[in-house]
Amino acid sequence: MAENIREIVLDTLLDLERKGEYSHKLVKAVLDKFSYLEERDRAFYKRVTEGTLERQLELDYYLDCYSKLPVRKMRPLIRCLLRMSVYQLLYMDAVPDSAVCNEACKLAAKRGFQSLKGYVNGILRTIARQRGNLPMPEATKEPVPYLSIKYSMPEWLVELWLKEYGWKITEIILQGLLQIHPVSLRFQSGMSEKEQETYCALMEAQGAKLSPNPYLSGMYLLERTGGEEGIRSLPGFEEGIYTVQDVSSALAVVAAGIQEGDFVVDCCGAPGGKSIFAGELIGSGRVLARDISEEKVALIEENIRRMRAANIETQIYDATDTDEKLTGKADVVLLDVPCSGLGVMGKKRDIKYQISQEKIKELSQLQKKIVKSCAPYVKQGGVLLYSTCTIHRGENQEMVRFMTEELGFIPASLEEILPEKLWERKKEIEEEMRRAGKEPWAGLTEEENAACIQLLPGYMEADGFFIARFRRG
């Protein structure tokens, strides 16, 4: 292992703490900068950096138990160094305890904290000895702190989901968010099974591991690719044979019921996955893909070029402003609105530390503004497909009521459109909620409930995602 790999992890964690950047962007930038690193070192860097962030609340809890100085009062470098070292002790069996402790002490000294080597060594060796008997709040006496520490989730989010779903579902969601999240790809529509198998075999020959998604044909989960960066070097990617897209995003397009010849408006289109899938379904139709900034639209255009999608037009446009020229013109409007992202915390690990109840309230208002601005585009009998990548009633089920009661849209059932396996899981979740004394429909009417689905990590093999379908009467 390269001598400086742990120092690169440390500097990344310090940058994240100081600058408040999103980790997935910084991790990619670091891997690009140190592209010369061997694959083993790149994997170590990614695992320790992302794991430390993901488990930060749990790591801080143990550090507070064994350090006289609270984590919040530690020097930033020592705090980050201890976190990443405890993560290695608890979650990386292949790394010897002695190596973790020795390397941490060396780094402390190298970065100007020679006098704290004994302090760092003492805490780490104590945690290593106590590894099988670490303190934890009692589940029966302190359920919220217990779940918060065990799954490293802020208490207010644990309380939110306990209130909505009950203990069993909440714990399964928390477990699901901590599971490994492989890259997901979707082959171009119309490719035969034989063609897909050919490319799968070529990818596996390069070390990738593929497994089919259970909900949609032509979709696969990829492991051992080095993440989204590594997939670019696999056979077929640059040729536009497939694109990176989570099944939840693809299901939103399927749910819209797009037909040959339709005019589809994707109002918040970046990075372009839904627009491209819609373009494959409409044949002679047309897709208008928009987003708010030049950077986001450039990302859509990059994917359009790679996928050879000829029937998609792009525009920079603020979805909070109504474009009068589109009034009553669209057969389908796709609204994947900005949201709290609680359903994708397994991929974007620091969302849980940056989101707050106040920010969610602000997002809910933004969502309503976008829906009100874009709803007029839907023609008579046309479809409005609303989606988010979150697990929060205020951004999801309450928006369903807003669209039916205040905007006059008619809920359109998803039961016959979405895969049967998915609908069965929805009914299982509703039954479990009833057993827990919770309202499974979240105050919706029977028709409204049939028009939407909340995908939950741990229950569905997908991101946490919400889909709702409406028609203009």
Side-chain angles (χ1 to χ4, degrees):
M1 183 178 295
E3 289 184 9
N4 66 343
I5 194 67
R6 285 185 171 86
E7 191 167 11
I8 297 173
V9 174
L10 178 60
D11 285 334
T12 301
L13 294 175
L14 280 167
D15 279 347
L16 288 169
E17 189 168 292
R18 290 168 182 158
K19 300 176 184 177
E21 295 183 58
Y22 279 110
S23 62
H24 64 286
K25 294 182 178 180
L26 185 56
V27 167
K28 183 181 184 304
V30 170
L31 288 171
D32 288 343
K33 179 181 178 181
F34 296 99
S35 58
Y36 58 82
L37 290 172
E38 292 183 7
E39 189 58 40
R40 180 186 63 166
D41 291 331
R42 293 169 67 84
F44 180 88
Y45 164 80
K46 201 167 186 292
R47 168 82 184 276
V48 177
T49 303
E50 293 178 346
T52 300
L53 287 169
E54 190 165 60
R55 292 283 185 174
Q56 184 174 301
L57 290 177
E58 179 191 14
L59 303 175
D60 285 0
Y61 179 79
Y62 297 138
L63 287 170
D64 278 338
C65 288
Y66 294 106
S67 171
K68 292 181 180 179
L69 184 68
V71 171
R72 59 186 173 81
K73 292 187 176 182
M74 292 177 182
R75 297 286 185 91
L77 186 139
I78 297 299
R79 176 167 56 238
C80 292
L81 179 60
L82 285 172
R83 283 171 175 166
M84 60 181 274
S85 300
V86 174
Y87 177 80
Q88 292 170 71
L89 290 173
L90 300 182
Y91 290 103
M92 298 182 71
D93 295 338
V95 182
D97 293 352
S98 58
V100 175
C101 298
N102 292 339
E103 292 300 322
C105 291
K106 286 180 185 178
L107 260 180
K110 181 179 179 181
R111 301 298 285 266
F113 293 95
Q114 175 76 27
S115 62
L116 294 179
K117 282 176 60 179
Y119 169 74
V120 168
N121 187 59
I123 291 176
L124 295 180
R125 292 196 180 277
T126 299
I127 290 177
R129 286 195 303 271
Q130 296 293 320
R131 183 164 36 215
N133 193 34
L134 291 170
M136 177 67 72
E138 288 189 41
T140 53
K141 295 181 179 179
E142 300 177 282
V144 173
Y146 169 80
L147 290 174
S148 173
I149 300 306
K150 183 175 181 180
Y151 298 104
S152 205
M153 186 65 64
E155 288 192 4
W156 72 270
L157 280 172
V158 172
E159 289 175 337
L160 175 76
W161 289 333
L162 283 174
K163 182 179 179 181
E164 291 185 4
Y165 292 105
W167 177 280
K168 182 178 178 181
I169 294 176
T170 296
E171 187 165 27
I172 289 174
I173 292 172
L174 294 170
Q175 290 170 349
L177 288 170
L178 287 176
Q179 290 172 354
I180 294 172
H181 296 269
V183 174
S184 177
L185 68 79
R186 181 184 62 79
F187 280 101
Q188 276 197 8
S189 302
M191 282 191 69
S192 67
E193 285 188 22
K194 187 174 181 180
E195 288 174 314
Q196 293 177 28
E197 288 170 2
T198 298
Y199 278 98
C200 286
L202 290 171
M203 285 186 269
E204 289 177 336
Q206 288 197 12
K209 179 184 176 183
L210 292 96
S211 56
N213 185 279
Y215 305 131
L216 293 178
S217 61
M219 297 208 68
Y220 291 81
L221 296 175
L222 275 80
E223 297 180 60
R224 303 174 191 165
T225 63
E228 288 196 33
E229 305 84 25
I231 197 175
R232 293 180 176 275
S233 64
L234 293 176
F237 181 81
E238 292 298 341
E239 296 79 12
I241 302 299
Y242 52 83
T243 188
V244 174
Q245 185 175 22
D246 191 80
V247 70
S248 56
S249 169
L251 283 166
V253 178
V254 171
I258 295 169
Q259 302 294 316
E260 163 77 30
D262 277 352
F263 173 41
V264 179
V265 180
D266 190 354
C267 298
C268 306
K274 294 183 186 67
S275 294
I276 291 168
F277 191 9
E280 293 170 12
L281 298 176
I282 58 175
S284 61
R286 183 167 66 95
V287 176
L288 176 59
R290 291 175 159 181
D291 219 309
I292 194 169
S293 69
E294 185 176 342
E295 179 185 6
K296 290 194 172 193
V297 170
L299 187 57
I300 300 173
E301 290 173 344
E302 177 188 344
N303 285 316
I304 287 173
R305 283 193 295 272
R306 189 179 56 79
M307 295 296 290
R308 280 77 167 168
N311 55 358
I312 304 175
E313 178 187 355
T314 62
Q315 291 178 356
I316 300 171
Y317 200 90
D318 186 343
T320 61
D321 293 330
T322 301
D323 183 352
E324 302 295 341
K325 298 190 296 295
L326 287 181
T327 299
K329 298 290 179 63
D331 297 287
V332 176
V333 170
L334 300 177
L335 277 180
D336 190 0
V337 297
C339 69
S340 57
L342 303 182
V344 293
M345 289 187 287
K347 294 176 179 175
K348 300 179 179 179
R349 292 157 181 82
D350 39 6
I351 285 177
K352 57 188 173 186
Y353 309 124
Q354 299 193 21
I355 197 66
S356 66
Q357 290 169 300
E358 188 57 40
K359 286 182 180 178
I360 288 179
K361 288 179 183 177
E362 293 173 5
L363 282 165
S364 296
Q365 293 306 309
L366 174 62
Q367 290 157 0
K368 286 183 179 179
K369 191 173 183 180
I370 289 174
V371 170
K372 286 180 72 174
S373 296
C374 298
Y377 305 158
V378 184
K379 65 168 56 172
Q380 200 79 15
V383 170
L384 174 66
L385 198 289
Y386 176 87
S387 61
T388 72
C389 57
T390 196
I391 310 166
H392 180 240
R393 287 186 179 182
E395 300 173 80
N396 295 338
Q397 287 90 344
E398 289 179 20
M399 287 296 294
V400 171
R401 301 311 309 274
F402 172 74
M403 282 180 267
T404 56
E405 292 185 347
E406 297 196 31
L407 301 183
F409 278 87
I410 300 168
S413 177
L414 292 172
E415 189 167 0
E416 300 301 321
I417 295 179
L418 292 180
E420 186 177 349
K421 287 183 180 179
L422 208 58
W423 210 252
E424 288 173 355
R425 293 302 267 170
K426 176 183 177 176
K427 291 179 179 178
E428 288 174 20
I429 292 168
E430 290 176 350
E431 282 303 312
E432 181 56 42
M433 289 177 71
R434 290 188 182 93
R435 285 192 288 270
K438 305 298 178 180
E439 170 51 61
W441 290 3
L444 301 179
T445 65
E446 183 175 356
E447 291 76 16
E448 289 167 343
N449 183 57
C452 63
I453 187 168
Q454 174 71 70
L455 309 183
L456 296 178
Y459 277 97
M460 285 87 161
E461 295 183 47
D463 289 337
F465 205 85
F466 182 80
I467 301 170
R469 182 172 182 250
F470 308 88
R471 285 198 180 277
R472 181 178 291 285

